[in-house]
Amino acid sequence: MHSETVEVRGHLIDSGVLSRVLDDILEYNCDYSIDRFEVGRTPVDESYARLTVKSEDAEDVDRVVMRLMAHGVNSTDPGEATLREVETDGVFPDDFYSTTNLETVVRLGGHWVPVENPEMDCGIVVVGERARTIAVSDVRAGDRVVCGPGGVKVVPLPAIDRSHGGFEFMKSEVSSEKPQALLVRQIAQQMRDVKAEGKKVLWVGGPAVVHTGAAPAMVALVEAGYVDVLFAGNALATHDIEAALFGTSLGVDLSQGRGVEHGHEHHIRAINQIRKAGSITKAVESGVLTSGVMHAMVTGGKQWVLVGSVRDDGPLPDVYTDVIEGQRAMRAGLADVGFAIMVATMLHSVATGNILPASVPLVCVDINPATVTKLADRGSAQARGIVTDIGLFLEQLALELAPAYRAGERPGSDAP
Amino acid sequence: MHSETVEVRGHLIDSGVLSRVLDDILEYNCDYSIDRFEVGRTPVDESYARLTVKSEDAEDVDRVVMRLMAHGVNSTDPGEATLREVETDGVFPDDFYSTTNLETVVRLGGHWVPVENPEMDCGIVVVGERARTIAVSDVRAGDRVVCGPGGVKVVPLPAIDRSHGGFEFMKSEVSSEKPQALLVRQIAQQMRDVKAEGKKVLWVGGPAVVHTGAAPAMVALVEAGYVDVLFAGNALATHDIEAALFGTSLGVDLSQGRGVEHGHEHHIRAINQIRKAGSITKAVESGVLTSGVMHAMVTGGKQWVLVGSVRDDGPLPDVYTDVIEGQRAMRAGLADVGFAIMVATMLHSVATGNILPASVPLVCVDINPATVTKLADRGSAQARGIVTDIGLFLEQLALELAPAYRAGERPGSDAP
Amino acid sequence: MHSETVEVRGHLIDSGVLSRVLDDILEYNCDYSIDRFEVGRTPVDESYARLTVKSEDAEDVDRVVMRLMAHGVNSTDPGEATLREVETDGVFPDDFYSTTNLETVVRLGGHWVPVENPEMDCGIVVVGERARTIAVSDVRAGDRVVCGPGGVKVVPLPAIDRSHGGFEFMKSEVSSEKPQALLVRQIAQQMRDVKAEGKKVLWVGGPAVVHTGAAPAMVALVEAGYVDVLFAGNALATHDIEAALFGTSLGVDLSQGRGVEHGHEHHIRAINQIRKAGSITKAVESGVLTSGVMHAMVTGGKQWVLVGSVRDDGPLPDVYTDVIEGQRAMRAGLADVGFAIMVATMLHSVATGNILPASVPLVCVDINPATVTKLADRGSAQARGIVTDIGLFLEQLALELAPAYRAGERPGSDAP
Amino acid sequence: MHSETVEVRGHLIDSGVLSRVLDDILEYNCDYSIDRFEVGRTPVDESYARLTVKSEDAEDVDRVVMRLMAHGVNSTDPGEATLREVETDGVFPDDFYSTTNLETVVRLGGHWVPVENPEMDCGIVVVGERARTIAVSDVRAGDRVVCGPGGVKVVPLPAIDRSHGGFEFMKSEVSSEKPQALLVRQIAQQMRDVKAEGKKVLWVGGPAVVHTGAAPAMVALVEAGYVDVLFAGNALATHDIEAALFGTSLGVDLSQGRGVEHGHEHHIRAINQIRKAGSITKAVESGVLTSGVMHAMVTGGKQWVLVGSVRDDGPLPDVYTDVIEGQRAMRAGLADVGFAIMVATMLHSVATGNILPASVPLVCVDINPATVTKLADRGSAQARGIVTDIGLFLEQLALELAPAYRAGERPGSDAP
């Protein structure tokens, strides 16, 4: 087992530095123990931590120690710097020290020498008694550069004085650059687990479920038993029913993939049909409504709560027009819910987040990062967010969870 | 054959009104002939058009005539309005006239009566000699409402005076709410067609191809022969190679789907490895690089042009650091290209758009609508845009085009 | 008066080409007359137009004729190409012909010669009997390049066959890159005009009015008489009142500009206070509420309609919880409205767009282009959109319209 | 001095919980001391913290203790719950306990009773020996609800097991809902301070500076001495020069605020003019270029570095076409820089972030949150981000810093 002892001083907790240090150690396949931790008693006091980083692999330890310097962490005993000669123009030795953008000193001949021109992702070249950063494209054969973490120390940034004005650091982990296919598989597994425990899966959905052409995938998920309860507004149900009755959904001809500008009156005519039937369930029973997501919910005996909003046309007869009554109906629908998934709706996602216990795992899927962020900002700390395309997401999820859908019974496929 | 003659007057061409009218007629499964068209000779003159709308189905004609009123189009001879009694509270007759938000008049007893409170998506209720809009939720049994397009005329908005200041109308067809799965199939077909003609498929890609975990799908597309030429920057190749060498890509552990914050030095170490080998091709030949997109390009004998940018680390030895030389290399790479697809890169997409003949069909795929818009705004009028998730898009495209990938040889699948 | 006759053939109307041609002529300070216009009688027939472009300035005519070629328009009689020698490496003659990305032919010695490698924004160099595009950085002294529009013709793209599938062209004018300060002045003038006519200004607002620190600017606009009616939800009023009572607004300490994470309970406590008082007006009368936007509305005797949504906490006692009743109240509030401005709310903007006659001018302001687009897509064709920062927009508007605010009575200014 | 002792157990550091707890205490005007802190020695061990919260104001202490419960923090000695009767339907007592969404227990008659239906932002009503959450709209006169923090405990969520797969929590502080006007004043003050210390202000800018009509404001800032060094690409300088020579900037007529579609050839003609003059400086000296940002830089003797990219037309003769040489020139331009501001450019912002020492304060301003996020994600931890409209931001900053601009010398103002 190889190990190295490192230390860091500063506002370690409120700045999040210590949290990032521990994260990095695990990411680099190393382990740690905290040997000493002195916490500042008051907001102005600095804290101090000393840790031992351990791994079976000496190179991993070296790599993580170099990595931790980006957070202002140094070895307690860095020793003397190792210098190696560059063999080829524009190429560093394999184990070159990769710089941070912090002020840095390097120990040469027993003295700490400052590194000139701090810049990240460079090497350190030593010429005589001076050291400076150098870009990989500028290094030349014969240059002597620092290798490994030995003999290098960084100077942490002074802590931000948080006691008076000054706007905040910005930090975000919201990103659409995540391996989405993997996330889909993880969610599918979570749904299987919840169903195996006898709990319900709650969906909260917006009309984009229909606009993106994902209604067939959603129907497959209902039929496969992964949609026990659905919370939505007037729009999802209306567009779904409009597509079932007229083959369009506010501006999209779903079988052709072509935009139809403002198909408004289909929309209001679909609502009028269901109002005439009396309810969505009666429209299914009387043969008016024969396909789509709401049809699948009715025939599968599933539960739904539709709550209206001020922008609604109609609305459908099933829609709660009083929002406080709608909230009460949603609360009643939470019984036995073990997992919640929110798809493409900010309004109903936040509404559900407001009433959902923190103990229910919750995934929010939207192409707009703002929706996902808003949910977390409102206090639903258990929310996990995925920024992705709704249509493709539901298609993939249906392929994972619905055996019939997987077997090629996809609408639009060219089966004989 | 049923038909109806309609007319419209105004700035029909520069406002785009006539274009939308003709679109709508086709969308409603009707046909048209233009009987008369008087174009304004100067910018201030109005134009006038008279059209006949035709269909086998009388109801289609009625529906499109009602629809066209939203554009200020009226029947030349609308006749008298048809009134029907409402049978049930909150439900219109099936063929109710659905209003626009334009000023409207209705012919009752031989007189044109103005409709009070213009509002879209309502009905028109007639009480005595007066007519007004009414929402579906407010209509009551016994109310008499206008049905069908007969006896109704709208008053078009006055043309915007475009000769002096006043900001522009806003209009957009950029949307993430499109049936994406269908679009993927259309693109796959287009690629098959181009290959069948002996032409090349050009890809322009950004690093999100790797960040989103789509590199395996991309590799499958290369191996299936659908990537003849690749234009990219230092980032795509570096992150691909970084993933191949270290299993990470600037912040994402691809096998686990977990975020790794700032994996910078993997990045610069990967670049250093390839610089040491001399080039990407040499790194493949010497066994340093054994997987990933660039590896597939090398082993498949495909062509690529990497052009650098000012934010690059390194860069890789294959990267053109002089952007004008890079442009020349890209121009040389356009020979025999019959289809171009741009994925997740604004910089290289615009650069390619700049040099691509308008005769080459071009699809731009990005999760950010701004990238797609920017390309069209810069003059690449042939650009078609898809706002979607890159990872799922490439996964779907590979499933369509790459038989091996389809057969389940997906990384991460639980094959024995 | 200088003039040139040009012609164009194709699907001129439904493609929008003719509209863009006429636009460009006016933009280049030229005038036009349409000499001949043959419209295709059926959807598959092409149209043909011949126009005369006129200006006092011969150079303007030349420039616009070159410009129109990007749309496939050619001179009826282009004559022979003019060639000029390049004097300096990397510099074109002043009047060089700037290429489009369409296929192009150039008339040399009485023959039409195709231009090789079509690429936009290049020159055309002639070597012997061949012509090809050349980038400005590649041109060399002594090269002969085509100058002026004479002797050049472009080959328009074939019309898109719109009669069967194939996804649509993408086009967008939504952009945040507009001269915003100018737009603010235009809106201010429009508001002054509406007030001078004795009409009302309707505002529709979201909570970002408060979150962005713009409440003082909004108060100034109320006091200056530019807010006659306000449509909003529970959130705007609650956050405004929360800021008045506690100095915070869901996560932002407004006097310091620092983020406060999840200030939830301030929020629910503020609502409870107003519920205790009975209404917002009673809270002002009893001295509980002494500042903010709602306070200014009450003391100024202005009108407001607050309609709730399913995500509301509380809500405030003034809020309509039944959305259909809320719609009715909003309809009643439209009387005498001559101008509507929507700020930072998608829900209430679309709701208002649904009920607003097309004859009322309407501006939609949001930092998110999607909100603006959505409004136009829903049928509010009269909507003009501005993508900008709400806080700075309202600050600027208040500076334009509110003399007191202009005089430096800004909260936070360092007046003695 | 009032105080309360609280405690929390769990993964306090790596989850960021402790950091948020300390933040909240300060936000509520309280102080703290850490009485005990036991840190888990290994990644799987939990930590434990005991703190004393202090304030002059007893109510502040109560409020923050209630607040901290959202993070799973409890009083060490919560005592018995205080119940108060509701006086009015739908109104809580002033000091009601506002719930979190965590599982909660309340001490009644010496026993800990679980609160049924955990939901955030509710009260707790006690009926007999049972307690449950209740929304403010559902509470009735006579109901007994829990008041103050006494007698309430929450059950923290179990720590996320971070050692194996499972996607990450999402968290973001990126927001456009910040009091922007205040931020502008803070930045202005920071620039004044830096200049007073004899240091330089570095600007990094994109073409939107010109597109948004903010060039006059930028000119005012140059003239007032707040722009010492400018890093940009070909686009900013070209559009600025195009506006100076032709009055347009790629699609916008700046004096009218109207969109001009694709003004491409103005663009390439402007570049050709400067290439003819030899350089921007020579174009100023020879009287070709007489206004705009670059003109102000030349006449003020300021320093700039323009580095090209692969999408450039031309480029201008001052532009580095080799990006590695461009990076070297940028490094040389960093001498004596004490503050950096990045406006509306992702490419050059990241490029500058790459080479800037962490000790230089850095602000990034963009209407697109992704640009700001990307910069922080790339390792520029000192970056502060503002999501706002560039045009209005620069207008406001010029009003703060440039006395001449403030005095009304704004282009477009109606001065006599």
Side-chain angles (χ1 to χ4, degrees), chain A residues 370-386:
Chain A
T371 303
V372 177
T373 300
K374 191 125 187 170
L375 195 64
D377 283 356
R378 295 267 306 183
S380 296
Q382 83 271 34
R384 301 166 188 194
I386 304 181

Side-chain angles (χ1 to χ4, degrees), chain B residues 45 51 78 89 116 119 123 200 215 234 358 364 377 381 393:
Chain B
D45 294 339
L51 304 96
D89 281 5
E116 299 167 26
E119 175 178 335
K200 289 180 175 176
N234 187 54
C364 177
D377 283 356
F393 173 84

